[in-house]
Amino acid sequence: MEKENNYIEYTFKVEPLQPASDILIAELGEVLFESFLETEEGVLAYIKKEDWSAAILDSLTIVHNENFKIEYDFKEIEQENWNATWEKNFNPIQVDEKCVVRAPFHEKPEVEYDIVIEPKMSFGTGHHETTHMMLQHILNTDFKGKSVLDMGSGTGVLAILAAKRGASTIDAIDIDNWCYLNALENVERNDSSHINVYEGDVNLLKDKNYDIIIANINRNILLEDIPEYSKCLKVGGTLFLSGFYSEDIPTISAKCEEHSLKFESNLNRNNWVAAVYRKC
């Protein structure tokens, strides 16, 4: 009998490395790839075998773009082998000299916020631009005593930093079961027991109210879910959005304006954006 939850691992070699790697990751995310590791030559990408087909890359424009050279191969990988793959490729990251995101096997650093993450098949190690910028936003925002939602929480890394920054109540929600289970492990690993981890989507937000909402997902899901974020964000509350490009800001901001969310500022990293909105 075939084992459940096997993954297909793609190894991409891309030239030039940037911006091709970022564009590739974004397009792969749209066709249900759910985890990525950036390498010196390109990207490792993972998709559940049940979501995969031989034609999975046919709709990706970057693969057919003459301005980029993309080579790839793929193989099936059992879920339990993920850790070995990850350990081989994962290096600790440091954000603004205040926060380090590392694996359990890395040496403990001398920083204010030490986050230990073992992501397995979950997104959000801090290496990707969007996660890195969201960590920056959290470091530069007063979370003390605030109620917080981390939507599309992945590994739970953003919720964990919010907890370390003094948030009083935190809900971390992800639609993927593997992310849900992994976030539970990481929350425990970082002694953040007041983070409530849920498996689901915006339907879980009914009758909820938050001071701060963090949503690092992708453009299309954000546009669909912004109305729900607005409903459960307190007046004067802050909404951090990421997972889209600089050119998407007008579209995202227009949707936010429709729902009493005013653009304040954004960070930009290799054309990825992490924007700040305020509930009016």
Side-chain angles (χ1 to χ4, degrees):
M1 180 181 294
E2 183 181 44
K3 293 184 178 180
E4 295 182 356
N5 291 327
N6 282 8
Y7 279 73
I8 304 297
E9 177 191 74
Y10 275 76
T11 302
F12 292 95
K13 293 183 179 180
V14 300
E15 295 180 12
L17 195 59
Q18 294 294 349
S21 292
D22 287 342
I23 297 171
L24 177 62
I25 288 171
E27 292 196 358
L28 290 170
E30 294 293 332
V31 293
L32 301 181
F33 279 78
E34 49 179 67
S35 188
F36 311 96
L37 283 167
E38 295 188 61
T39 68
E40 293 182 356
E41 295 184 310
V43 176
L44 291 176
Y46 298 85
I47 184 171
K48 286 180 182 175
K49 187 177 180 182
E50 64 192 57
D51 295 327
W52 176 84
S53 71
I56 192 75
L57 302 185
D58 288 357
S59 63
L60 272 59
T61 58
I62 190 171
V63 173
H64 310 290
N65 189 321
E66 294 181 355
N67 295 316
F68 303 107
K69 180 181 179 182
I70 298 182
E71 300 175 348
Y72 63 88
D73 56 31
F74 62 89
K75 64 182 179 181
E76 185 171 345
I77 181 171
E78 294 180 3
Q79 195 173 62
E80 54 264 33
N81 291 335
W82 166 252
N83 281 352
T85 301
W86 175 69
E87 289 183 14
K88 183 177 68 176
N89 292 280
F90 180 74
N91 293 311
I93 65 117
Q94 184 165 311
V95 181
D96 295 347
E97 298 183 353
K98 297 179 182 178
C99 174
V100 166
V101 182
R102 65 181 177 92
F105 52 84
H106 291 135
E107 185 177 347
K108 189 178 187 301
E110 293 297 326
V111 292
E112 188 172 1
Y113 303 107
D114 175 34
I115 301 177
V116 182
I117 294 293
E118 192 158 5
K120 299 182 180 177
M121 282 292 180
S122 303
F123 179 79
T125 60
H127 288 80
H128 193 266
E129 280 82 352
T130 58
T131 310
H132 192 283
M133 288 185 293
M134 286 298 220
L135 291 168
Q136 287 182 293
H137 276 314
I138 295 171
L139 287 171
N140 294 321
T141 302
D142 180 12
F143 274 74
K144 192 166 185 176
K146 301 294 178 65
S147 55
V148 177
L149 167 66
D150 179 8
M151 198 72 195
S153 52
T155 61
V157 63
L158 301 180
I160 291 166
L161 182 56
K164 291 180 179 291
R165 293 277 294 151
S168 57
T169 59
I170 308 161
D171 291 340
I173 300 175
D174 202 291
I175 197 169
D176 183 78
N177 177 256
W178 191 245
C179 291
Y180 162 72
L181 295 174
N182 184 217
L184 284 174
E185 295 176 5
N186 289 325
V187 163
E188 181 178 0
R189 183 175 285 112
N190 288 273
D191 298 321
S192 302
S193 58
H194 61 298
I195 297 176
N196 306 303
V197 182
Y198 301 100
E199 180 180 353
D201 56 19
V202 290
N203 291 314
L204 296 178
L205 301 183
K206 186 178 180 181
D207 301 324
K208 296 279 192 176
N209 283 283
Y210 301 99
D211 296 305
I212 298 173
I213 296 177
I214 304 164
N216 181 18
I217 309 178
N218 65 55
R219 176 186 182 274
N220 292 340
I221 293 177
L222 292 176
L223 288 171
E224 184 177 338
D225 290 353
I226 282 169
E228 300 303 318
Y229 300 155
S230 180
K231 287 178 185 177
C232 62
L233 184 62
K234 296 176 184 177
V235 173
T238 305
L239 173 64
F240 296 109
L241 296 179
S242 194
F244 54 93
Y245 294 115
S246 298
E247 52 266 31
D248 295 319
I249 290 179
T251 302
I252 296 288
S253 293
K255 175 63 71 172
C256 284
E257 287 282 352
E258 291 175 15
H259 298 278
S260 304
L261 296 162
K262 183 178 180 181
F263 175 82
E264 288 201 340
S265 64
N266 70 272
L267 295 173
N268 189 304
R269 191 177 174 92
N270 293 326
N271 204 39
W272 289 97
V273 168
V276 184
Y277 296 85
R278 186 79 58 190
K279 177 73 175 287
C280 303

